[in-house]
Amino acid sequence: MANRTAGLTYIEKNTPLHKMTGGAKLLMLLFMSLAAMITFDTRLLVVLVVVAISLFVVAKMPIKEMKMIFSILAFIMAVNLVVSYLFSPEEGVAIYGSRTELFHIIGRYYITREQLFYQLNVTIKYFAILPLAMVFFVTTDSSEFAASLNAIGVNYKIAYSVSLALRYIPSVLREYHDISQAQQARGIDISKNVKLSKRIIGIATIMFPLIITSIDKIDRIAGAMELRSFGKHKKRTWYKARPFKKLDYAAVAVSLLFIVAAVLLNFVNGGRFFNPFS
Amino acid sequence: MNLNVKTIVAIGIGAALFFVLGRFAVVPVFANTNLSFQYAVLAFFAVLFGPIAGVLIGLIGHILIDMSWGWGIWWSWIIVSGVVGCGFGFVVRYAKIEQNDFTIPLIIRFVIGTIIVNLIGWGLIAPGLDILIYQQPVNHVFTQGLFAFVGNAVTTAVVGTLLLFAYNKAQPKAESLYKE
């Protein structure tokens, strides 16, 4: 069960990324994702992918995990690219405003240079946006996570909710499995062998006890926190909070530069796409 | 922001539930789209604890789910999870019906309300953001959005109603005590 939440687990190591404060890494993640979302300029996207992959290397991510992450990502993207091509084989032609046929498959499906370039761009974009968050989670201690959210300006109460969620996932997951097995022992089938409607009702019968115990849990935790006067003051301190250092400022500044570049390139290219065909 | 302690805890636990159901109770429907039960829980918590809890449970829970699959974060749909969570919170406020039964008119209001919220979220905002961020073909994202809408609307309406009804049954009512 533990390996199923692998992407969320902090792995302790001694690397520059681990030494950075959580706040700086979170800002970097947000800025770089935003830059990658704004732009469709192939050159900037390639730079972002290179940065993202080098972050993986700097963070000394285990090779096995990286392989797993990239193979899942590649699979998801292959499905998405094929479906997106089937729906709209001339999308690239519409975007770049020119048409260079390479060969004809069947019916309305042609392979054009523009379509290939467009789908290449989409692929690079996924690789630029999607894996970044992984680096953050793997290099940031989960108890520092709440402190880092608070450090970048998120209300500490909300930051605390996030850390409660991370803290309680394992116990809710355990309860889910226990209840699911108890209900299956009573003859409730939620596997592929039964009709969809039966499956939905079956899952609902697991959800009900799970939610009732969760509501009880909420009462208990809230009571304990109230006894300790949680939320009395406007601010709170964090055991795991650390001050920003030079490296943190530098990383945030660099990631801000990516956003500036993304916005500027929109003007230079006269649109979000870099057009090599014109 | 004035959040009471109970709401804060509810957000945390709600997000954990959203994560567990979204991650382990899935039935696949269409390319990269699953029939997901976490939206029933989201609606349940949003009705009980209000729209702010709804937004945050949706956002936090969905980010955690995306993270754990290992493909990273799909921002456009995460935003929609927050939006529908907020919307569910306005459909029915449990605080107002706590002492009463979850009657047929309320059930109808809940079902129609959540269907509208799901339609706006998955049918309009999700495809809109996919086009804005990823420039995907229009008919592709709307088909994907449609599947997500149907799936989520059905699970929210059916399972959400069952959960609220059962929860309400288990709570003591205003008229439950008699003076002899």
Side-chain angles (χ1 to χ4, degrees):
Chain A
M1 202 191 298
N3 63 338
R4 287 198 185 155
T5 51
L8 293 170
T9 327
Y10 169 65
I11 306 170
E12 198 171 334
K13 285 209 173 105
N14 189 11
T15 75
L17 268 170
H18 286 75
K19 282 186 193 140
M20 276 170 67
T21 65
K25 275 180 279 187
L26 195 57
L27 282 177
M28 214 168 101
L29 163 70
L30 290 176
F31 289 160
M32 281 182 65
S33 315
L34 196 63
M37 281 194 261
I38 296 171
T39 192
F40 254 102
D41 187 291
T42 321
R43 299 158 295 185
L44 181 58
L45 285 175
V46 169
V47 173
L48 283 168
V49 172
V50 170
V51 173
I53 291 175
S54 42
L55 286 179
F56 271 76
V57 177
V58 172
K60 292 192 183 142
M61 286 276 283
I63 303 286
K64 216 178 111 195
E65 290 224 338
M66 277 174 70
K67 258 191 189 159
M68 189 191 79
I69 290 164
F70 281 98
S71 53
I72 297 174
L73 194 53
F75 173 73
I76 298 279
M77 260 171 17
V79 173
N80 211 316
L81 287 178
V82 170
V83 174
S84 139
Y85 176 74
L86 290 178
F87 270 100
S88 179
E90 302 285 314
E91 191 72 18
V93 174
I95 288 167
Y96 296 109
S98 60
R99 194 164 191 286
T100 325
E101 264 173 44
L102 294 180
F103 56 89
H104 179 209
I105 305 176
I106 191 166
R108 69 184 182 113
Y109 295 106
Y110 290 88
I111 295 285
T112 59
R113 223 167 55 181
E114 285 76 8
Q115 181 68 16
L116 284 181
F117 189 65
Y118 158 73
Q119 297 213 316
L120 175 76
N121 271 320
V122 175
T123 312
I124 304 174
K125 194 166 174 124
Y126 291 146
F127 272 106
I129 297 177
L130 298 180
L132 270 180
M134 197 73 60
V135 178
F136 174 78
F137 271 86
V138 170
T139 59
T140 309
D141 184 352
S142 63
S143 23
E144 201 199 336
F145 183 63
S148 53
L149 276 175
N150 192 211
I152 66 162
V154 174
N155 185 309
Y156 79 82
K157 294 175 181 174
I158 294 173
Y160 204 84
S161 298
V162 177
S163 83
L164 272 177
L166 288 171
R167 156 75 181 77
Y168 277 95
I169 281 174
S171 95
V172 173
L173 188 58
R174 201 166 45 237
E175 274 161 25
Y176 174 79
H177 279 285
D178 290 350
I179 296 168
S180 156
Q181 262 152 22
Q183 298 288 45
Q184 281 170 43
R186 296 175 58 202
I188 287 165
D189 196 352
I190 52 164
S191 67
K192 271 182 279 189
N193 307 325
V194 292
K195 274 193 309 195
L196 191 63
S197 58
K198 272 228 167 120
R199 255 179 123 174
I200 294 178
I201 301 295
I203 290 180
T205 55
I206 297 173
M207 280 164 75
F208 186 63
L210 185 64
I211 279 177
I212 293 297
T213 54
S214 300
I215 298 275
D216 282 348
K217 200 179 282 170
I218 291 172
D219 281 337
R220 258 182 293 126
I221 300 167
M225 281 163 68
E226 257 161 12
L227 279 175
R228 289 162 182 75
S229 297
F230 180 88
K232 188 167 178 276
H233 298 291
K234 285 221 161 75
K235 279 184 179 169
R236 64 170 278 154
T237 53
W238 303 87
Y239 181 63
K240 289 274 187 179
R242 287 179 290 159
F244 269 47
K245 296 216 175 84
K246 268 185 206 155
L247 184 62
D248 299 302
Y249 287 113
V252 173
V254 170
S255 48
L256 257 180
L257 276 181
F258 283 122
I259 293 196
V260 175
V263 174
L264 283 181
L265 280 169
N266 270 6
F267 291 108
V268 174
N269 295 335
R272 289 167 76 197
F273 285 88
F274 161 63
N275 191 344
F277 303 110
S278 59
Chain B
M1 196 178 296
N2 221 343
L3 285 171
N4 68 36
V5 177
K6 204 164 171 183
T7 314
I8 296 165
V9 180
I11 294 167
I13 302 293
L17 271 171
F18 187 97
F19 169 82
V20 167
L21 288 165
R23 187 66 173 75
F24 298 102
V26 285
V27 182
V29 210
F30 185 64
N32 306 345
T33 308
N34 295 317
L35 189 59
S36 25
F37 292 86
Q38 67 267 38
Y39 293 99
V41 170
L42 182 61
F44 179 81
F45 272 77
V47 168
L48 252 66
F49 298 99
I52 296 178
V55 179
L56 291 168
I57 292 172
L59 292 177
I60 299 168
H62 199 150
I63 289 177
L64 295 177
I65 291 175
D66 274 10
M67 291 300 315
S68 76
W69 280 115
W71 62 58
I73 291 187
W74 195 264
W75 289 104
S76 46
W77 287 47
I78 287 168
I79 292 168
V80 178
S81 277
V83 171
V84 295
C86 179
F88 293 153
F90 286 106
V91 173
V92 179
R93 289 301 306 271
Y94 195 78
K96 290 188 183 150
I97 58 161
E98 207 165 14
Q99 302 285 309
N100 308 310
D101 285 332
F102 195 56
T103 50
I104 302 284
L106 270 174
I107 291 176
I108 293 172
R109 183 166 148 194
F110 175 78
V111 169
I112 294 178
T114 52
I115 289 176
I116 294 171
V117 170
N118 274 316
L119 182 64
I120 295 171
W122 307 108
L124 292 175
I125 303 176
L129 287 172
D130 272 349
I131 293 168
L132 188 73
I133 298 175
Y134 300 100
Q135 290 271 324
Q136 289 187 301
V138 176
N139 48 2
H140 173 207
V141 292
F142 275 99
T143 314
Q144 214 167 21
L146 187 74
F147 275 91
F149 158 66
V150 173
N152 291 340
V154 169
T155 49
T156 313
V158 176
V159 182
T161 308
L162 284 176
L163 290 176
L164 278 169
F165 187 78
Y167 177 73
N168 180 269
K169 271 269 179 265
Q171 297 299 107
K173 299 292 170 324
E175 317 86 54
S176 63
L177 291 176
Y178 295 98
K179 195 175 169 190
E180 297 200 2

